[in-house]
Amino acid sequence: MVILSDILLFLTTALVVSITCLCILLFYRVRDAYIGSFLTVLVPLSLQMCLSLLVTYLTRTLPVGNLDANAFQVFALGATIFSVLLTTTLLLMMSKYLIQILPATDKQRILGNRILTFLILFFFLISLWVIIAESKGDWQKALSDTIAYHFFAGSMFLVIHAVLSGIFVKKATTWEEERLLKGIIYTFLPLFFLFPLDLLFFRNLPFKLVYLSFSTLSVYLYYFISRRYFLTWEQTDHVDAEGGKEYGLSLREEEVLRLLAAGCSNQEIAKQLYISPNTVKTHIKNIYAKMGVNNRLQLFSRLKK
């Protein structure tokens, strides 16, 4: 079981880090808002998984005398605090990312952001208090407990995200919103079942089944990026936005259509037209209805030169 755990930890870490690197390269090239949002989640996730892999390697390979040395104790203390900060950052960024894509009102977004931020910061303070109290100055034990229990316990917060996504997914107005909300549901709803399995079979092992959920999220984001970038953006070179005039679009809808054809995201359109993202979503929904399409791929196909 230990060997299997190590192999799974290495494979899931390699997968998440690879997809994170891909997102970094794409963001450097296109500066897309969606990819930027993904990176706020993927970067702390990659660092957390790499830290788990590093700690597992060090505790397996270093002699016992080195593990008890002051230098390693200092490292263990720093790694413990860093791990707690990474987990908290991941949960916080995941919350902000979810609230950003929810088809909710501004008041609902503000309220949801405040509630989730309060819960996560409370979790952070409780985590530090419990880890320090339980370790009693033995920072190697604190690090071991943090790697073994803290990250996968904190992941249970993401079940809330899956439930919220399930509530709002039917209100999505664009295929991006719908796909991303469904991705969160498919990724984090299984945590209901994975968490007890971790407690039963992987409790004292560095790999946890909840890592599979984060790997699934990474793969899903890669799929989303592939579809959005390689299928949607690359088609915009052959799109004639003027072709939308025959469908009775308003002047504002024509402006939105031109920016869509240029490959702009909803957030970018909102900034350029000085309107809210929700207003952009409404215009896009109206454009889809007037042109008889359901997503951007169909829209670009209809506007092909």
Side-chain angles (χ1 to χ4, degrees):
M1 184 65 80
V2 174
I3 295 176
L4 176 62
S5 170
D6 290 348
I7 293 174
L8 289 174
L9 178 61
F10 175 79
L11 291 177
T12 51
T13 302
L15 176 64
V16 172
V17 171
S18 298
I19 293 176
T20 301
C21 291
L22 172 65
C23 288
I24 292 173
L25 291 174
L26 282 176
F27 182 74
Y28 177 77
R29 177 180 176 183
V30 300
R31 293 293 193 274
D32 180 62
Y34 279 108
I35 301 177
S37 298
F38 298 161
L39 286 175
T40 64
V41 175
L42 290 175
V43 170
L45 174 61
S46 296
L47 292 174
Q48 176 65 59
M49 297 186 72
C50 287
L51 181 61
S52 297
L53 194 63
L54 174 63
V55 171
T56 301
Y57 173 77
L58 291 177
T59 54
R60 297 274 179 81
T61 58
L62 288 178
V64 177
N66 289 350
L67 294 176
D68 294 331
N70 290 333
F72 187 81
Q73 289 292 321
V74 172
F75 165 78
L77 173 59
T80 298
I81 296 174
F82 188 50
S83 178
V84 174
L85 284 172
L86 284 176
T87 299
T88 304
T89 301
L90 172 61
L91 297 177
L92 193 60
M93 291 300 102
M94 191 68 209
S95 299
K96 291 183 178 298
Y97 164 69
L98 171 64
I99 292 172
Q100 178 183 336
I101 64 174
L102 282 179
T105 64
D106 292 338
K107 289 184 178 180
Q108 289 174 327
R109 291 174 188 275
I110 293 172
L111 179 61
N113 190 40
R114 287 177 178 175
I115 292 174
L116 288 175
T117 300
F118 172 79
L119 290 175
I120 291 169
L121 292 179
F122 180 73
F123 170 76
F124 169 71
L125 295 175
I126 291 296
S127 299
L128 284 180
W129 182 80
V130 170
I131 290 171
I132 292 173
E134 287 292 325
S135 66
K136 298 178 181 178
D138 185 352
W139 302 122
Q140 182 183 341
K141 180 180 183 303
L143 178 59
S144 177
D145 290 344
T146 301
I147 296 299
Y149 305 118
H150 184 259
F151 178 64
F152 92 100
S155 301
M156 289 305 296
F157 268 103
L158 299 176
V159 174
I160 300 175
H161 298 62
V163 173
L164 288 175
S165 298
I167 294 173
F168 283 94
V169 67
K170 292 184 179 180
K171 300 179 181 179
T173 58
T174 64
W175 77 266
E176 289 99 336
E177 284 182 356
E178 182 180 357
R179 293 295 177 127
L180 291 173
L181 290 173
K182 285 183 177 179
I184 293 175
I185 296 171
Y186 300 151
T187 298
F188 297 124
L189 206 56
L191 289 175
F192 272 122
F193 309 100
L194 296 180
F195 186 77
L197 291 176
D198 274 330
L199 291 177
L200 289 173
F201 301 107
F202 291 86
R203 185 171 183 175
N204 297 315
L205 296 173
F207 175 79
K208 300 293 185 294
L209 289 175
V210 297
Y211 285 5
L212 296 178
S213 288
F214 289 104
S215 299
T216 302
L217 176 66
S218 301
V219 172
Y220 195 91
L221 293 181
Y222 172 76
Y223 166 76
F224 178 88
I225 292 170
S226 298
R227 181 173 180 180
R228 176 175 168 79
Y229 181 73
F230 296 109
L231 294 181
T232 303
W233 289 349
E234 294 300 328
Q235 292 187 20
T236 59
D237 292 338
H238 308 286
V239 169
D240 181 13
E242 300 301 318
K245 291 184 176 180
E246 63 184 89
Y247 294 95
L249 303 182
S250 66
L251 292 177
R252 178 63 84 181
E253 288 167 354
E254 289 180 5
E255 290 178 324
V256 172
L257 180 61
R258 280 194 289 272
L259 293 174
L260 283 174
C264 296
S265 67
N266 290 1
Q267 291 84 356
E268 291 167 342
I269 294 174
K271 288 181 181 179
Q272 292 195 42
L273 298 182
Y274 301 100
I275 57 179
S276 71
N278 285 334
T279 303
V280 174
K281 294 173 188 176
T282 300
H283 286 314
I284 292 175
K285 186 177 181 179
N286 292 336
I287 292 170
Y288 287 174
K290 291 179 180 180
M291 299 186 65
V293 298
N294 296 315
N295 54 57
R296 294 194 189 195
L297 291 178
Q298 294 178 6
L299 176 67
F300 293 160
S301 177
R302 182 153 297 185
L303 294 174
K304 276 266 186 103
K305 296 177 182 178

